[in-house]
Amino acid sequence: MILIDISMDISHGMPVYRGREDKRPILRIERDFTSGDVYEARIHMDTHTGTHVDAPLHMVRNGAPVNKIAPDKLVTKCRVIDMTAVNEKIKREDLEGKGIKKGEFILLKTKNSIKEDILEKDFIYLDATGAEYLKETGVAGVGTDGLGIERNQPSHITHRTLMEAGIVIIEGLRLREAEEGEYLLSAAPIKLYGAEAAPARALLLRDLPAL
Amino acid sequence: MILIDISMDISHGMPVYRGREDKRPILRIERDFTSGDVYEARIHMDTHTGTHVDAPLHMVRNGAPVNKIAPDKLVTKCRVIDMTAVNEKIKREDLEGKGIKKGEFILLKTKNSIKEDILEKDFIYLDATGAEYLKETGVAGVGTDGLGIERNQPSHITHRTLMEAGIVIIEGLRLREAEEGEYLLSAAPIKLYGAEAAPARALLLRDLPAL
């Protein structure tokens, strides 16, 4: 089996949305070997830390929380699409001609996966026309290597367009090692009851065992 | 594809190790729709919350942290073994005769998966003789439906025996829906850099797509 890890490390110094200090995760050591024989820590982090799944509740009043997204929506065939030639934002015309089909889960590989220095503020995002195209096409889900799937758009229009169409959103993927093509995506998030988002360990699998 | 979710919900009222209040997760809402158009929360939780992977650092000085466990150790064939007849603890003689082989990843289904009321304090655990047997057999990993793989043993001997043998440990599985048999386990934890444990969304897969 081939396995590609497409997740971010979670640490205090990791890239965080817009570089905001109050969004940094903190791993607090509660016990260690100086005072006993066990090491134990507690993590304090935004639900949108690193690689994570957004649920409708993030942007839609009374929207579904993340524990209500069935895991088979996130453990599913997917296709990595190379968008590394795109600058600033992915528009409708960048997606047309990629052969995107109804029901597909697509992962958009952009310069975000190559250039670490754009991740906090100038990341490539999916604009409103691109979101509208994915809604019209009827994709099942979309994954981005930006920490947000959009920035600087009024009313968070990309999020809302996707969420209202029932399209699952994964943010913060690391796709540098992922070539274009089909994989089994495994990216079900931890089961934070009632939360609007949750971190996930996202992996791409191929050459699956017979089971 | 068949998918069985074997993970616990993470919430303030969930079962926690020995029922200790300071181990309860807290989901703190940072923003909601009363003051804006976005809902955002922050999670404060022990790294050993719910379904999670223990890394050697938890019990072994200078042991490996959880981000150093290769994900293919946790996305792998596994076998669910029915141990629901066992009371109090799983011993060597309970494991003998189960046909456990070198290199297997076994998930031990016990009364913990059936009786919620024993989860915090009186959970079934793997005793030192059982751990020694798994070490001799050379299993790759072991998953338990207890919040700890042991309790009330001097020097955390079960943890140490397994960790020193390089056997991966998953705790806090929910195996009620999982029949005995082979599956693809997907249980890679979130990538908490430098931590001694991390929560995972654990799933069992069967009838995998051709990919």
Short mmCIF file of all heavy atoms in Angstrom, two decimals, chain B residues 8-16 23-25 49-51 120 147:
data_model
loop_
_atom_site.label_atom_id
_atom_site.label_comp_id
_atom_site.label_asym_id
_atom_site.label_seq_id
_atom_site.Cartn_x
_atom_site.Cartn_y
_atom_site.Cartn_z
N MET B 8 -14.78 7.40 20.00
CA MET B 8 -15.65 8.02 20.99
C MET B 8 -15.98 9.46 20.58
O MET B 8 -15.14 10.15 20.00
CB MET B 8 -14.95 8.07 22.36
CG MET B 8 -14.70 6.73 22.98
SD MET B 8 -13.76 6.85 24.56
CE MET B 8 -15.06 7.49 25.62
N ASP B 9 -17.16 9.91 20.95
CA ASP B 9 -17.46 11.35 20.88
C ASP B 9 -16.59 12.07 21.90
O ASP B 9 -16.40 11.56 23.02
CB ASP B 9 -18.93 11.60 21.29
CG ASP B 9 -19.89 11.46 20.12
OD1 ASP B 9 -19.45 11.56 18.96
OD2 ASP B 9 -21.09 11.27 20.39
N ILE B 10 -16.12 13.25 21.54
CA ILE B 10 -15.35 14.07 22.48
C ILE B 10 -16.25 15.20 22.98
O ILE B 10 -16.67 16.07 22.20
CB ILE B 10 -14.09 14.64 21.80
CG1 ILE B 10 -13.17 13.49 21.36
CG2 ILE B 10 -13.36 15.61 22.73
CD1 ILE B 10 -11.97 13.92 20.54
N SER B 11 -16.59 15.16 24.27
CA SER B 11 -17.45 16.19 24.85
C SER B 11 -17.14 16.32 26.34
O SER B 11 -16.46 15.46 26.92
CB SER B 11 -18.93 15.79 24.68
OG SER B 11 -19.23 14.70 25.52
N HIS B 12 -17.64 17.36 26.96
CA HIS B 12 -17.35 17.58 28.38
C HIS B 12 -17.86 16.43 29.24
O HIS B 12 -17.24 16.07 30.24
CB HIS B 12 -17.98 18.90 28.84
CG HIS B 12 -17.51 19.34 30.18
ND1 HIS B 12 -16.23 19.77 30.42
CD2 HIS B 12 -18.15 19.38 31.38
CE1 HIS B 12 -16.09 20.06 31.71
NE2 HIS B 12 -17.23 19.83 32.31
N GLY B 13 -18.98 15.83 28.85
CA GLY B 13 -19.57 14.78 29.66
C GLY B 13 -19.12 13.37 29.33
O GLY B 13 -19.63 12.40 29.89
N MET B 14 -18.17 13.23 28.45
CA MET B 14 -17.71 11.89 28.02
C MET B 14 -17.00 11.17 29.18
O MET B 14 -16.57 11.81 30.14
CB MET B 14 -16.74 12.04 26.85
CG MET B 14 -15.40 12.61 27.27
SD MET B 14 -14.29 12.99 25.87
CE MET B 14 -14.05 11.37 25.16
N PRO B 15 -16.85 9.85 29.07
CA PRO B 15 -16.04 9.16 30.06
C PRO B 15 -14.57 9.62 29.98
O PRO B 15 -14.03 9.76 28.88
CB PRO B 15 -16.15 7.68 29.65
CG PRO B 15 -17.35 7.60 28.77
CD PRO B 15 -17.45 8.93 28.09
N VAL B 16 -13.99 9.89 31.14
CA VAL B 16 -12.56 10.25 31.19
C VAL B 16 -11.86 9.33 32.19
O VAL B 16 -12.50 8.76 33.09
CB VAL B 16 -12.33 11.73 31.59
CG1 VAL B 16 -12.87 12.66 30.51
CG2 VAL B 16 -12.96 12.06 32.94
N LYS B 23 -9.51 16.22 33.74
CA LYS B 23 -9.21 15.61 32.44
C LYS B 23 -10.33 15.85 31.42
O LYS B 23 -10.22 15.43 30.27
CB LYS B 23 -8.98 14.10 32.59
CG LYS B 23 -7.73 13.77 33.40
CD LYS B 23 -7.30 12.34 33.18
CE LYS B 23 -5.96 12.05 33.83
NZ LYS B 23 -4.82 12.77 33.20
N ARG B 24 -11.38 16.51 31.84
CA ARG B 24 -12.51 16.72 30.92
C ARG B 24 -12.15 17.71 29.81
O ARG B 24 -11.56 18.75 30.07
CB ARG B 24 -13.73 17.26 31.66
CG ARG B 24 -14.22 16.32 32.72
CD ARG B 24 -15.68 16.50 33.06
NE ARG B 24 -16.07 15.35 33.84
CZ ARG B 24 -16.39 14.17 33.32
NH1 ARG B 24 -16.43 14.01 32.02
NH2 ARG B 24 -16.69 13.15 34.09
N PRO B 25 -12.55 17.39 28.58
CA PRO B 25 -12.35 18.37 27.50
C PRO B 25 -13.32 19.54 27.65
O PRO B 25 -14.44 19.37 28.14
CB PRO B 25 -12.66 17.57 26.23
CG PRO B 25 -13.37 16.35 26.65
CD PRO B 25 -13.13 16.13 28.11
N THR B 49 -7.42 12.07 25.46
CA THR B 49 -8.88 12.14 25.44
C THR B 49 -9.47 11.12 24.46
O THR B 49 -9.04 11.03 23.31
CB THR B 49 -9.32 13.56 25.03
OG1 THR B 49 -8.88 14.48 26.04
CG2 THR B 49 -10.83 13.64 24.88
N GLY B 50 -10.47 10.39 24.94
CA GLY B 50 -11.24 9.50 24.06
C GLY B 50 -10.35 8.51 23.33
O GLY B 50 -9.41 7.93 23.88
N THR B 51 -10.65 8.30 22.07
CA THR B 51 -9.89 7.38 21.23
C THR B 51 -8.56 8.06 20.87
O THR B 51 -8.56 9.14 20.26
CB THR B 51 -10.69 7.08 19.95
OG1 THR B 51 -12.01 6.65 20.33
CG2 THR B 51 -10.01 6.00 19.13
N GLU B 120 -14.97 4.36 33.24
CA GLU B 120 -14.09 5.30 33.93
C GLU B 120 -13.19 4.63 34.96
O GLU B 120 -12.03 5.00 35.10
CB GLU B 120 -14.91 6.40 34.60
CG GLU B 120 -15.59 7.29 33.56
CD GLU B 120 -15.97 8.67 34.07
OE1 GLU B 120 -16.29 8.78 35.27
OE2 GLU B 120 -15.94 9.62 33.26
N LEU B 147 -10.10 3.04 28.45
CA LEU B 147 -9.47 4.35 28.29
C LEU B 147 -7.98 4.28 28.60
O LEU B 147 -7.21 5.16 28.27
CB LEU B 147 -10.15 5.39 29.19
CG LEU B 147 -11.45 5.90 28.60
CD1 LEU B 147 -12.25 6.70 29.63
CD2 LEU B 147 -11.19 6.75 27.37
#
